[in-house]
Amino acid sequence: MGILLVDFKILVLVYKSSHKQTPDYISDMLHEQTGRRRLRSTTSTTLFIEQRTQHSTFADRSFSCYGPRIWNKLPKHIRNAESIVIFKKLVKHHLFGIAYKH
């Protein structure tokens, strides 16, 4: 249950960062994925570059590595939520669905 709370809080920070609602020092840890061409699969959803490390380390669990990893796994309709209130509700539902899937 503890990991759900951690994931929830990280996802909220990433959402706020993608909507320019966090201080610069947090936003600077995330790098938006951009391409040269507009692809059919591209939507208004912001995806972030997942930083890779060579070995499993504490760095893998840092905000700049873990945040983009779990953000990019969210369904598009959650990432495209119009407000923080709607986003939080959708993320809670999504995380509980994963945790208690039978």
Side-chain angles (χ1 to χ4, degrees), residues 20-73:
K20 312 294 185 236
Q21 299 172 356
T22 57
D24 289 340
Y25 72 91
I26 292 176
S27 298
D28 290 345
M29 289 187 228
L30 302 172
H31 304 284
E32 290 185 21
Q33 189 174 15
T34 57
R36 285 186 255 149
R37 294 183 283 154
R38 183 111 176 126
L39 303 175
R40 228 179 325 147
S41 62
T42 306
T43 63
S44 62
T45 303
T46 301
L47 292 174
F48 292 98
I49 297 171
E50 296 181 34
Q51 296 181 8
R52 304 272 186 217
T53 57
Q54 290 186 359
H55 304 288
S56 181
T57 62
F58 287 116
D60 291 332
R61 294 183 293 269
S62 69
F63 176 71
S64 59
C65 290
Y66 190 66
R69 188 177 317 134
I70 61 175
W71 175 263
N72 293 343
K73 289 180 183 178

Side-chain angles (χ1 to χ4, degrees), residues 67-80:
R69 188 177 317 134
I70 61 175
W71 175 263
N72 293 343
K73 289 180 183 178
L74 284 177
K76 289 179 186 177
H77 75 279
I78 297 175
R79 292 190 310 242
N80 286 332

